[in-house]
Amino acid sequence: MELWYTEKQTENYGITAKIRETLVTEKTEFQDLAIIDTVEFGRMLVLDGMVMTTEKDEFVYHEMVAHPALYTHPNPKHVLVVGGGDGGVIREVMKHPNVEKAVLVDIDGKVIEYSKKFLPSIAGELDNPRVEVLVNDGYMHIHDHKNAYDVIMVDSTEPVGPAVELFSRGFYQGIYESLKEDGTFVAQTDNPWFKADLIRNVNRDVKEIFPIVRVYCANIPTYPSGLWTFTMGSKKYDPLQVDETKIPEIDTKYYSPRLHKAAFVLPKFVEDLCK
Ligand code: SAM
């Protein structure tokens, strides 16, 4: 008998993946959690029925959350990751030797626990001595830590359940105040095919708060529509003003010095959402 996992990406459209094995399923305090082993994409973390990350394509998302911002800020020493309990963004942050401390704040400790157990290639740096892992609401954390971070990355679930507040104007204002005076932040801001209004609204809100706002894209096969956006807000440094010849070639498979600025060239229908 064949077993398949299907994610309904809208009420009328979805993706489906053949499963080898179910490694864990649990209803945590915050969400339904599952880690399944799929034939095509390897092990897959699923929260509330939505693909969070897979062994095969995770590098795209995690590299593209971390490196554009960390090479836009000239000397990021203190970094915050909101969400990201699978550890993938933290693994990429650790490729930056000038980062002295990276704090990860995920509301659900079970995501961290099971990612360490079943997704070691993704979660392997969560025990790095430069990393502090906190189980808390990211919204609370940024309001309790003013003028604290050089770079903040928001690697949250979609705006449902505990992550709803992480797409609010108040949250972006809190990020502004939690950043140092020359800080930069980036948030994953979903896909332009099914979540155009979200991208438009986040862009509007962030532009009201930050002087520099840029949006970039990446291709993530297992995410809704496959085309993903990221919104960067910066107090001082513009990712398009970076001298890409000074960006080192590091151990990546998607991000590169050549891609740094190219990623910000948007398809016209996405540009139109960010006007
Ligand atoms: N890459 C995925 C995406 O783009 O949807 C996100 C992966 S990561 C596992 C998402 C994490 O956000 C989850 O572990 C979830 O527990 C966390 N999260 C959701 N709401 C949160 C909040 N208010 N504070 C901190 N973490 C939160």
Side-chain angles (χ1 to χ4, degrees), residues 31 52 61 86 105-107 111 137-138 155-157 162-163 188 223:
Q31 48 213 336
M52 293 289 117
Y61 175 87
D86 53 54
V105 180
D106 198 303
I107 202 165
V111 173
D137 183 337
D155 175 14
S156 70
T157 38
Q188 72 88 355
Y223 279 9

Side-chain angles (χ1 to χ4, degrees), residues 111-231:
V111 173
I112 298 165
E113 176 190 337
Y114 289 129
S115 296
K116 282 183 175 179
K117 182 172 179 184
F118 293 111
L119 300 168
S121 66
I122 301 175
E125 289 297 332
L126 286 174
D127 293 324
N128 188 303
R130 288 189 287 157
V131 177
E132 180 183 16
V133 176
L134 301 173
V135 178
N136 193 4
D137 183 337
Y139 194 89
M140 307 289 286
H141 181 86
I142 57 141
H143 284 90
D144 294 341
H145 294 76
K146 305 285 188 195
N147 191 34
Y149 297 105
D150 298 305
V151 173
I152 295 177
M153 302 167 189
V154 184
D155 175 14
S156 70
T157 38
E158 304 202 4
V160 292
V164 169
E165 279 306 305
L166 304 187
F167 291 81
S168 68
R169 193 189 184 293
F171 179 63
Y172 298 124
Q173 184 62 42
I175 285 183
Y176 186 92
E177 293 164 13
S178 188
L179 286 168
K180 293 178 184 171
E181 89 285 345
D182 63 346
T184 297
F185 101 98
V186 62
Q188 72 88 355
T189 42
D190 223 295
N191 80 89
W193 289 96
F194 308 137
K195 291 281 178 62
D197 287 344
L198 174 82
I199 295 169
R200 190 184 290 114
N201 295 340
V202 167
N203 198 262
R204 179 203 58 218
D205 291 348
V206 175
K207 276 179 175 167
E208 288 173 1
I209 301 167
F210 285 86
I212 300 165
V213 180
R214 302 284 185 206
V215 175
Y216 58 98
C217 285
N219 162 246
I220 304 170
T222 56
Y223 279 9
S225 87
L227 178 61
W228 212 250
T229 70
F230 305 84
T231 300

Side-chain angles (χ1 to χ4, degrees), residues 70 73 75-79 98-102 150-151 180:
L70 290 175
H73 192 293
N75 189 20
K77 294 182 187 298
H78 299 105
V79 172
N98 50 342
V99 171
E100 293 171 359
K101 183 170 182 186
D150 298 305
V151 173
K180 293 178 184 171

